[in-house]
Amino acid sequence: MGIPQLTAEKYNKILADYEKKTPKSKKLYKEANRYISPSGAPAYMIWHRPYPFFVKKAEGSRVFDVDDNEYVDLFMDQGISIIGHNPPRVRESIARTMDKYGVHLELCEELATEWAKKVNKHFPSCKRIKIVNSGNEATALAVQIARAYTGRDKVIKFQGHHHGWNAVLSYDGLVAGSGTLFTKGIPENHWENLIALPINDVDKLKGAIKENKDEIAAVIMEPMGATTGGPPFQEGFQKEVRELTEENDILLIFDEVVTAFRVALGGAQEVLGITPDITVFGKAVGGGIPIGAVGGSEDIMGVLCVLDSKADCFGLDRIFPMGSFCAQPLAMAAGIATIEELEQGDYIRNSILRAEELTEGINEVAKALKADFSAYNIYSIVHFGLAEKIKSDLSNALDWLEFNQMVRLILLLNDPGVVTLPGHVYMSGVHTKEDIDTAILAFENCLKVYKE
């Protein structure tokens, strides 16, 4: 079985129906496309053909566009909004902070300490934490810390694992085996100290460690698999990675940008029972305000220092990280409020339950329609696509992307529409049974387009 294709007639009708549904968005998009890159959208994951719809209101699990269309949001800001859009507790916390400090303050205040203590409570491996501004920035810093601490240069990552678009780890991201395909503008020799390995192959990991003995600073990984489980790790693989890194005095970095405060309060390391040496944070820990962070032991994080020769950490072999917006007060306030809401509510449990319901519903619909389509969930992240494990690699990457983009667009045409990412969604703790029923119906209607 190949990747399904739409006839030109069906394809054109889908685009026409979308344009009919979103005329005001079309007008706004034309204006945006004159000024904003890429293609009029601030980030490429927001864009979809023929143009993205424009939102006028977001509340809970729903968004409303400028044409007054309503959508069940399963995009949820790429997993950031696990407690829903516009949560009162976060909004009130931001307002109080603005009353005290204004929009920004680049001086010490107590919110940063309070936030760090909250994170440490659930991630005891993070005795000290460096706060930055995004997950992308944090993964790059984590690698720099590992190299500075070990005095080694090489780093192992896994093919297809996404650790941001930075010039440190973007090699072989998004699609396993892609190499430099998505790294235009970064010199080839930039990757000389980066080793990309296939997942679930312990022998290749052992071989790479042996071949580069005493040269590897760290292994970095998305601890639940690329895009949190698409494709997933074989059971026990993460434990084997931990054992090998410990045996060879190599640091293990968990990129928990997505999984922290989502799969559990203590992230993937809590559910796996594995303690990494360095943890990377982002997304939900800022409550919707840009944030990133790197945490680890006092010893490892001791390579960071202030530029003052009298400081107790000072040394010319240290890292001196800078940033005008590090520990931005609004991010600290929003992050604290979000963590407290997660601590006191059932958001994580509910998000996992809704993910299971959506997975079951999609699979039931696909079976009834005899469609070669299926879904599975890793905690609250649902992955969906072709059931016949058609491997997404460089030979069919564009056809695979085309199929996922069109599924995404067709789901928007439902009433209410359903907002997704290509091939996966993030459930929140505020999604309801009605939301799930709406989403299942949208998937059913989508599959019928391909079956008819």
Side-chain angles (χ1 to χ4, degrees):
M1 179 231 175
I3 297 176
Q5 304 287 330
L6 293 169
T7 64
E9 182 181 0
K10 281 187 178 180
Y11 177 84
N12 291 332
K13 184 179 186 305
I14 290 166
L15 264 61
D17 288 347
Y18 180 79
E19 291 189 23
K20 182 179 179 181
K21 181 176 181 176
T22 59
K24 291 181 180 178
S25 284
K26 183 177 181 178
K27 182 179 180 181
L28 288 174
Y29 171 72
K30 286 182 177 179
E31 184 73 1
N33 198 27
R34 292 178 58 195
Y35 301 101
I36 297 175
S37 288
S39 297
Y44 81 89
M45 291 300 275
I46 301 171
W47 192 92
H48 58 79
R49 71 183 65 163
Y51 51 83
F53 66 87
F54 280 64
V55 175
K56 72 173 182 181
K57 181 182 178 183
E59 194 79 31
S61 62
R62 304 270 174 141
V63 294
F64 304 83
D65 71 16
V66 292
D67 291 286
D68 295 320
N69 297 305
E70 183 176 356
Y71 303 85
V72 174
D73 188 7
L74 305 185
F75 178 91
M76 298 308 288
D77 308 314
Q78 292 197 68
I80 293 171
S81 299
I82 190 169
I83 63 173
H85 292 299
N86 201 18
R89 186 178 200 146
V90 173
R91 190 174 62 244
E92 290 162 6
S93 181
I94 290 172
R96 288 195 302 271
T97 304
M98 288 185 69
D99 285 343
K100 290 174 68 176
Y101 305 122
V103 175
H104 181 54
L105 177 73
E106 197 181 348
L107 292 169
C108 288
E109 39 75 23
E110 61 186 317
L111 286 172
T113 304
E114 186 180 347
W115 179 91
K117 287 169 67 176
K118 286 280 186 187
V119 174
N120 171 254
K121 173 184 175 183
H122 298 291
F123 291 82
S125 64
C126 298
K127 301 300 183 187
R128 282 181 174 266
I129 302 168
K130 168 57 184 164
I131 306 165
V132 291
N133 300 296
S134 69
N136 178 66
E137 185 180 343
T139 54
L141 178 60
V143 168
Q144 187 177 358
I145 289 170
R147 286 171 168 160
Y149 179 75
T150 62
R152 304 170 189 163
D153 293 332
K154 293 187 178 181
V155 171
I156 292 175
K157 67 161 292 189
F158 292 101
Q159 294 175 344
H161 280 217
H162 178 65
H163 303 293
W165 53 269
N166 57 62
V168 179
L169 292 163
S170 56
Y171 179 89
D172 214 317
L174 301 178
V175 179
S178 58
T180 60
L181 185 62
F182 302 111
T183 63
K184 186 70 173 176
I186 302 173
E188 292 269 352
N189 62 8
H190 212 78
W191 311 115
E192 289 176 356
N193 290 310
L194 186 66
I195 302 167
L197 298 177
I199 65 169
N200 299 324
D201 194 328
V202 176
D203 288 338
K204 286 198 174 179
L205 177 59
K206 288 179 178 177
I209 292 173
K210 183 178 180 180
E211 186 178 336
N212 299 276
K213 186 171 177 59
D214 299 326
E215 294 183 85
I216 301 171
V219 173
I220 186 169
M221 63 196 302
E222 291 186 72
M224 305 302 286
T227 320
T228 313
F233 286 126
Q234 292 175 358
E235 186 175 352
F237 181 74
Q238 300 97 316
K239 184 179 180 182
E240 290 184 278
V241 173
R242 174 70 284 190
E243 290 172 353
L244 282 170
T245 52
E246 286 182 330
E247 289 169 7
N248 291 277
D249 197 26
I250 296 169
L251 299 182
L252 177 61
I253 304 171
F254 270 9
D255 180 349
E256 295 236 36
V257 167
V258 172
T259 49
F261 297 99
R262 169 167 284 278
V263 300
L265 280 170
Q269 53 200 267
E270 177 184 321
V271 300
L272 293 171
I274 297 172
T275 303
D277 299 293
I278 297 174
T279 302
V280 178
F281 300 94
K283 293 191 184 291
V285 293
I289 306 292
I291 195 172
V294 181
S297 67
E298 290 192 23
D299 194 27
I300 292 172
M301 299 303 289
V303 302
L304 301 177
C305 191
V306 295
L307 197 55
D308 184 341
S309 61
K310 298 296 184 183
D312 55 6
C313 64
F314 186 78
L316 297 179
D317 58 347
R318 297 292 192 265
I319 301 171
F320 303 96
M322 305 176 203
S324 299
F325 294 97
C326 295
Q328 209 278 343
L330 301 186
M332 298 295 93
I336 292 165
T338 297
I339 294 171
E340 288 177 346
E341 194 75 8
L342 289 168
E343 289 172 335
Q344 297 167 18
D346 289 327
Y347 295 96
I348 293 174
R349 184 175 65 85
N350 289 345
S351 67
I352 296 170
L353 174 63
R354 296 303 177 217
E356 291 170 348
E357 292 172 347
L358 179 60
T359 299
E360 182 180 2
I362 291 172
N363 288 330
E364 287 179 353
V365 163
K367 183 178 180 181
L369 293 172
K370 297 182 179 179
D372 197 6
F373 192 90
S374 67
Y376 66 91
N377 68 290
I378 303 293
Y379 292 85
S380 57
I381 297 93
V382 180
H383 297 268
F384 54 86
L386 299 171
E388 270 195 12
K389 288 295 179 182
I390 296 178
K391 186 179 178 183
S392 172
D393 56 29
L394 295 185
S395 67
N396 67 1
L398 292 180
D399 287 341
W400 172 84
L401 179 61
E402 174 70 16
F403 176 74
N404 280 326
Q405 286 285 5
M406 290 310 296
V407 168
R408 185 184 194 186
L409 179 56
I410 295 168
L411 292 172
L412 293 173
L413 295 178
N414 203 63
D415 186 18
V418 175
V419 187
T420 70
L421 284 146
H424 67 285
V425 297
Y426 296 96
M427 304 309 300
S428 78
V430 299
H431 280 109
T432 65
K433 186 65 171 63
E434 181 185 357
D435 293 331
I436 302 306
D437 291 342
T438 297
I440 292 169
L441 177 61
F443 274 97
E444 180 178 6
N445 291 337
C446 176
L447 294 178
K448 285 178 179 178
V449 172
Y450 277 95
K451 291 291 289 184
E452 290 171 355

